[in-house]
Amino acid sequence: MHGTASPGWLLVALCAASGAYCLLRMRSADEEQRRAAGGEALMGFGMAVMAVPAAAFTPPGWAWAAYAAVFGTAALRALWAARASAHHLHHLVGASAMVYMAAVMAASPGAGHAHGGSGVPPLTGALLLYFAGYVLVSGVRLLPVAAAAGSPVAWSDRPELARVCRLSMGIGMLAMLLTV
């Protein structure tokens, strides 16, 4: 998906680290947080796999259809979960963007990683605008506020780390969409 290997591997590391932290968040006592973290872990690891540089590994053509099916299912699950929480609408957009990128990769010559210009420009632009806005809003939410005194919070329940994870995946999605 990337021209040179170095940025691709950095994106793989960023997305895999985000996915790993989301797995840790699945240990939370809050059921809603566990569900959201599961979807975010799938997204993080899926983005990491998609970002592997073509020079290192080019998946077979059928892999993109499988990828689209997995994230299509995740999009339907997010749509269903959006009835209870609007946060799942972001998961819906993210999973749909993954389906879109998998379809672009499947349609690209050689069914390898995309090399720009093969996506639908209005859809790519809309997704870029959405994720750019999401990254900016997520960044603002990380600005320090007065800390509340209280008991220590477990690593899996730290809201600021969950925001960093989401911000990282938003930045990763922007980077991936720029290459479509």
Side-chain angles (χ1 to χ4, degrees):
M1 180 153 216
H2 306 281
T4 61
S6 194
W9 286 117
L10 290 172
L11 188 56
V12 168
L14 175 74
C15 294
S18 294
Y21 178 70
C22 290
L23 285 179
L24 178 64
R25 286 183 35 231
M26 288 179 68
R27 295 175 40 195
S28 173
D30 181 15
E31 183 179 346
E32 179 59 29
Q33 182 172 321
R34 282 195 311 267
R35 277 194 207 131
E40 291 166 0
L42 174 68
M43 184 68 68
F45 289 125
M47 289 172 59
V49 170
M50 190 178 274
V52 172
F57 175 71
T58 300
W62 59 264
W64 299 119
Y67 216 75
V70 166
F71 282 97
T73 303
L76 290 174
R77 185 177 182 281
L79 181 62
W80 181 258
R83 297 172 311 127
S85 171
H87 173 72
H88 292 285
L89 291 174
H90 172 69
H91 291 168
L92 174 63
V93 173
S96 298
M98 295 294 280
V99 170
Y100 169 66
M101 288 189 288
V104 168
M105 289 180 180
S108 70
H113 286 24
H115 297 290
S118 56
V120 180
L123 182 54
T124 303
L127 288 170
L128 281 168
L129 284 174
Y130 173 80
F131 282 103
Y134 182 80
V135 164
L136 291 173
V137 169
S138 295
V140 168
R141 287 182 180 158
L142 284 173
L143 293 175
V145 294
S151 61
V153 179
W155 280 99
S156 59
D157 290 325
R158 301 209 37 178
E160 70 278 9
L161 292 178
R163 288 185 194 117
V164 167
C165 177
R166 291 180 190 126
L167 174 65
S168 298
M169 286 193 289
I171 291 169
M173 188 67 78
L174 271 174
M176 293 171 74
L177 284 166
L178 285 172
T179 65
V180 171

